[in-house]
Amino acid sequence: MERSDGFNYGYAMNCTCGRVSVLSAEDYYVEADGAHMNCAHCGTSIHFGIAVAALRNQDDPALDDEAVTRFAWYHTSTEPDWPSSDYARRFIQDMEQNGHRPVNRAHYVSTHTTKALHLGTYETAVENMLRRMHDEHDGGSPFYLYRVAIELRPGRINPGYRDENHDDAAQLSISELDRDSLDAVRYLNVHEGTGLLSLAIRPEVITAVQRMPIPLPELALPPMPGFLDREITALAHAKDEMEAAQAKVESIPHGRRRMMYFGVYDDPDGLAKKAGDLEHRYIDLWNQLEDQLAEAYLPSASRPIRRDFNEAMGSWKSAHPTADPQTFISRYRAMAALIEKSPEVISELAHQPWRDLRSFGTRKRLKGRSQYL
């Protein structure tokens, strides 16, 4: 059973009076009135944002304990074999290869290899990927989309839901689930799909997963002949001018060149200033191009989602510095399909073979320790 909310949602905000008021995505994006809104019930001014985000649907079907196990849940990961029982070994191996030597090695490893897993809606999973691309240096990483089936024993999920603003769920550990005799914690997600319910679970509740790499080139949005031709030409010209100017100051260390640009050091010929100005112009033209791409290829997404998408694509571009505008646009069209063609993406994933994890989970329970990511 699917549970979808799209990428053009509004927001719900808590007031000190205990009631909830709704806010449009546009007002949220522009931070209308200095990010303030009046409570629809008592008139009190609410300083809106994730710190006071509320459940968007007070009758969210995920509040039904039995329905939770009937939903298809989603997850995005850079791991091709998520959830992997081999994660702890690879974590230690990477730590040692990178020369990282924490003071309390055992505690550090345990903290990072025994966390609960997180599941959400399709939209939440896609937004999580966008955030990771921009915030966690995964702009150039391959991603996989997972569709997850779970099984919960009666009474092993928390009543109601945990509000992530007051009781953090992101770092929830297996030991905390053990302490509370739970297999899953339902929580209000305020970071992706703000206002929806997500799950933090012990790996053993996963019975099976379907997986596919994303994006899917065959679902890419169609190209628009002639679209942005003038902008692409201007961008190429700006790049040539920038590189020619930078070549004249390449012998000057980058840090000193920046100080010359800001007037801290002398720039007698104005070459550092010119190179800096042309670099800023080139960046501005790229930003304008990305804004136009969002208008054309993300018509169903709200402005906050478009912003997050473009930030993620900017990180992809940084990870692929030799990519030209046409290559970038091609990737943009493929990524945009995750938002604009979500039913087709879900359908494609739903037709992938299931990987059965039931016996795998049983073995892990017998060992008494979870080491998945």
Side-chain angles (χ1 to χ4, degrees), residues 150-207:
I150 64 172
E151 190 174 89
L152 291 172
R153 290 174 287 170
R156 299 285 293 186
I157 187 170
N158 59 321
Y161 62 91
R162 176 184 292 195
D163 188 333
E164 202 173 16
N165 278 315
H166 307 300
D167 199 358
D168 183 45
Q171 304 301 320
L172 193 69
S173 67
I174 299 300
S175 61
E176 290 175 275
L177 292 175
D178 290 340
R179 180 196 65 201
D180 297 331
S181 299
L182 296 174
D183 290 332
V185 167
R186 188 168 29 208
Y187 66 92
L188 175 68
N189 197 327
V190 299
H191 297 292
E192 295 103 16
T194 304
L196 286 180
L197 293 177
S198 292
L199 293 181
I201 62 168
R202 63 175 73 241
E204 293 88 342
V205 307
I206 297 177
T207 59

Side-chain angles (χ1 to χ4, degrees), residues 2 43 56 132 141 152 180 216 224 227 246 263 299 334 370:
E2 297 294 336
R56 279 189 258 144
R132 285 189 58 178
S141 301
L152 291 172
D180 297 331
L216 296 175
M224 300 179 183
F227 177 57
Q246 289 176 339
S370 296

Side-chain angles (χ1 to χ4, degrees), residues 65-130:
D65 291 357
E66 292 185 4
V68 165
T69 59
R70 296 196 298 269
F71 289 129
W73 294 91
Y74 291 87
H75 181 83
T76 45
S77 175
T78 57
E79 298 287 332
D81 59 346
W82 180 93
S84 172
S85 61
D86 193 40
Y87 173 69
R89 182 193 64 78
R90 287 186 282 114
F91 179 87
I92 294 171
Q93 185 179 61
D94 290 344
M95 181 181 71
E96 292 174 345
Q97 288 178 349
N98 293 328
H100 184 44
R101 295 179 176 82
V103 176
N104 189 333
R105 185 178 186 276
H107 180 265
Y108 180 83
V109 171
S110 176
T111 298
H112 285 82
T113 60
T114 60
K115 292 179 181 178
L117 305 183
H118 292 263
L119 306 175
T121 62
Y122 170 83
E123 292 83 359
T124 299
V126 171
E127 288 188 43
N128 175 262
M129 177 190 67
L130 298 178

Side-chain angles (χ1 to χ4, degrees), residues 334-356:
M335 289 287 288
L338 295 171
I339 290 175
E340 294 298 322
K341 291 186 174 182
S342 54
E344 291 95 323
V345 176
I346 291 172
S347 176
E348 186 69 26
L349 178 56
H351 284 86
Q352 300 303 308
W354 286 98
R355 174 161 60 102
D356 193 330

